[in-house]
Amino acid sequence: MPVAVRVIPCLDVDAGRVVKGVNFTDLVDAGDPVALAAAYDAEGADELTFLDVTASSGDRETTYDVVRRTAEQVFIPLTVGGGVREVADIDRLLRAGADKVSINTAAIARPDFLREASHRYGAQCIVLSVDARRVPGGAEPTASGFEVTTHGGRRGTGIDAVEWAERGQELGVGEILLNSMDADGTKAGFDLPLIEMVRARVDVPLIASGGAGALEHFAPAVERGADAVLAASVFHFGQLRIGEVKDTLRGAGVVVR
Amino acid sequence: MARVVVLDYGSGNLRSAERALRRVGADVEVTGDFTAAVECDALVVPGVGAYAACMEGLRAVRGDRIIGRRLAGGRPVLGICVGMQVLFDRGIEHGVETDGCAEWPGTVDRLRAEVVPHMGWNTVRAPEKSVLFAGLDPDARFYFVHSYAARTWELNPEPPMIPPLVTWADHGGPFVAAAENGPLAATQFHPEKSGDAGAQLLENWLSASV
């Protein structure tokens, strides 16, 4: 039996609270990331991702506290991203109890940050988060047709997203978190061509993200080469349950836990 | 209550191991102190990252001596992930060979699979008499995250010596997922991150240790 495909819920955390609507039954405080993390663990989540969207760096201490409290209660892997700019940030997150740290914008500004991070902490805990979109009409096209974006997909960089993922692997990251900014929020399914193109170029694990809206959306992402599937709002709103996603994947012949 | 030390030699996330052991009823101290680590009821040697860096950190707290002295006294040691790998003779990463603690013969080298690191939940094949996996469902999955492993097991003594119990997993081929050799045990996966199955394994280890 091969390693199981992971189903990963992602929580956006702002100053210690979950943002984006959360409609989770049986939770006393649906805005508490620690309570949500425990609920997802109980539902069979294979891993958890926190995306720290805290704007002010002064409030960042609350994120470390959330990570600490989550690690006390939840015994599955925890990845934390958002605002990771220097080695000291990684160090703090790992010490708080994160198992992996995802890096996005800081690596675009300085790719060697990935090399340094991987060298120091090991490839297994450094994730490159790539926010990709199709290059809009009028802009300079890239070889793959996809470019890396910043600012939540609003700003294009002109960097080829597929080449960037490959570069990340060369620089030592142990995993790629591939977010389709075109599919994100549409609930129309994952961006399958994007997943397929990146899979063809990297052999580290690949997490597909963006676009999940129905149970039948997950298996095609795995067929195109995703090792893990990530979603946020469909889980938070209780629209899809982790268990249902796994049952559907299992029905499609995918190995899940 | 079992007094457990999680050996702190500057390697990664120790909090998870500490919490998971506490969850199964251990009195846990995270320290690099030589005497505390030698004298506790049970010692956990964690480890993440590069083999060479882990060995350097381990030697800096005389971790190899700590392990050796405990084993000479029949006192339990559990290596986790790279904390297991350093128990072998040597590790080879990026063509660089590093001496390990040499408690077990053999070499740790790169997995040969389509996707590396091996990251996620996988099943294992435990031998019948295993203490670590006692009572666990044969389909139970454990959380792995590693690019290197012992792909062979070389310690197979003749009777009356007791052969170690070796548990295997597959990722592009078989590798050692766990080994039980008298007071020395180790897992390539992370029991502290493997939910209820991992907690059961830690509990099994603790009960057999004290």
Side-chain angles (χ1 to χ4, degrees):
Chain A
M1 291 280 268
V3 62
V5 164
R6 289 166 284 155
V7 178
I8 308 173
C10 175
L11 297 170
D12 286 4
V13 180
D14 186 357
R17 303 287 295 170
V18 176
V19 292
K20 286 188 181 169
V22 171
N23 176 17
F24 222 75
T25 49
D26 310 328
L27 271 190
V28 178
D29 179 1
D32 177 15
V34 182
L36 260 176
Y40 282 133
D41 177 20
E43 284 206 339
D46 296 307
E47 194 171 314
L48 293 165
T49 290
F50 285 164
L51 181 62
D52 181 12
V53 295
T54 310
S56 148
S57 58
D59 290 337
R60 193 123 298 169
E61 197 50 50
T62 59
T63 305
Y64 303 132
D65 184 52
V66 165
V67 172
R68 261 190 293 274
R69 288 189 292 121
T70 304
E72 279 172 22
Q73 293 190 22
V74 177
F75 299 94
I76 57 174
L78 174 62
T79 303
V80 186
V84 177
R85 290 189 178 83
E86 48 187 277
V87 165
D89 297 330
I90 300 173
D91 200 63
R92 273 186 218 109
L93 288 169
L94 294 178
R95 282 179 182 280
D99 298 289
K100 295 188 268 184
V101 170
S102 81
I103 301 173
N104 191 332
T105 315
I108 298 167
R110 198 171 68 81
D112 260 348
F113 180 38
L114 295 176
R115 195 199 305 273
E116 291 160 18
S118 170
H119 185 74
R120 177 127 173 214
Y121 299 103
Q124 84 293 333
C125 73
I126 305 300
V127 182
L128 174 62
S129 177
V130 179
D131 290 344
R133 71 170 177 193
R134 282 176 178 71
V135 179
E140 187 72 28
T142 62
S144 70
F146 290 92
E147 71 172 336
V148 178
T149 67
T150 60
H151 299 81
R154 293 190 304 277
R155 211 174 285 180
T157 61
I159 299 167
D160 189 307
V162 178
E163 281 171 18
W164 177 233
E166 189 176 23
R167 179 92 196 283
Q169 172 173 317
E170 285 163 12
L171 290 167
V173 306
E175 192 167 42
I176 306 284
L177 169 54
L178 182 62
N179 317 296
S180 166
M181 303 318 285
D182 296 323
D184 193 38
T186 64
K187 294 191 167 52
F190 291 93
D191 192 330
L192 303 178
L194 175 63
I195 295 166
E196 199 165 21
M197 285 172 100
V198 172
R199 172 79 292 165
R201 298 276 284 272
V202 303
D203 52 23
V204 294
L206 177 63
I207 306 171
S209 162
L215 294 173
E216 61 271 22
H217 287 160
F218 292 87
V222 175
E223 282 154 20
R224 304 301 165 101
D227 300 288
V229 284
L230 179 144
S233 55
V234 286
F235 291 141
H236 305 334
F237 285 112
Q239 208 173 333
L240 303 180
R241 310 303 289 247
I242 307 260
E244 294 176 328
V245 170
K246 288 190 162 185
D247 288 343
T248 309
L249 282 169
R250 202 178 281 120
V254 175
V255 174
V256 292
R257 178 168 72 112
Chain B
M1 196 186 273
R3 290 175 310 123
V4 180
V5 163
V6 174
L7 190 63
D8 182 0
Y9 60 98
S11 173
N13 174 6
L14 303 173
R15 181 169 288 265
S16 299
E18 180 190 359
R19 298 294 179 200
L21 287 157
R22 223 165 251 165
R23 181 188 180 196
V24 296
D27 170 14
V28 190
E29 187 186 0
V30 179
T31 179
D33 181 73
F34 187 88
T35 308
V38 168
E39 291 180 355
C40 61
D41 295 327
L43 177 73
V44 170
V45 181
V48 295
Y51 196 100
C54 277
M55 272 314 295
E56 194 184 326
L58 199 57
R59 287 196 206 282
V61 300
R62 294 187 291 160
D64 47 345
R65 295 273 312 276
I66 292 169
I67 294 167
R69 195 170 294 186
R70 288 188 64 86
L71 296 179
R75 302 166 81 83
V77 175
L78 175 69
I80 295 177
C81 198
V82 183
M84 168 180 179
Q85 297 177 1
V86 295
L87 298 172
F88 289 87
D89 279 337
R90 67 192 76 79
I92 300 173
E93 292 191 359
H94 309 292
V96 179
E97 187 173 315
T98 306
D99 285 342
C101 296
E103 296 297 343
W104 291 329
T107 301
V108 170
D109 63 3
R110 194 165 169 86
L111 291 166
R112 292 168 197 184
E114 275 178 32
V115 173
V116 176
H118 173 219
M119 193 182 285
W121 300 77
N122 213 337
T123 52
V124 301
R125 297 189 304 279
E128 242 173 61
K129 290 176 185 160
S130 165
V131 170
L132 290 183
F133 296 91
L136 277 158
D137 191 316
D139 295 329
R141 288 180 179 270
F142 299 88
Y143 186 75
F144 290 85
V145 48
H146 61 120
S147 300
Y148 300 85
R151 294 181 300 112
T152 57
W153 178 264
E154 297 173 15
L155 181 61
N156 300 302
E158 297 291 330
M161 297 278 279
I162 301 164
L165 295 169
V166 182
T167 294
W168 297 86
D170 289 291
H171 187 64
F175 66 88
V176 179
E180 298 160 68
N181 176 205
L184 184 59
T187 64
Q188 177 59 67
F189 54 84
H190 288 268
E192 77 280 17
K193 281 284 153 187
S194 297
D196 293 342
Q200 179 70 56
L201 183 140
L202 289 173
E203 203 172 347
N204 288 347
W205 176 66
L206 273 184
S207 335
S209 295
V210 293

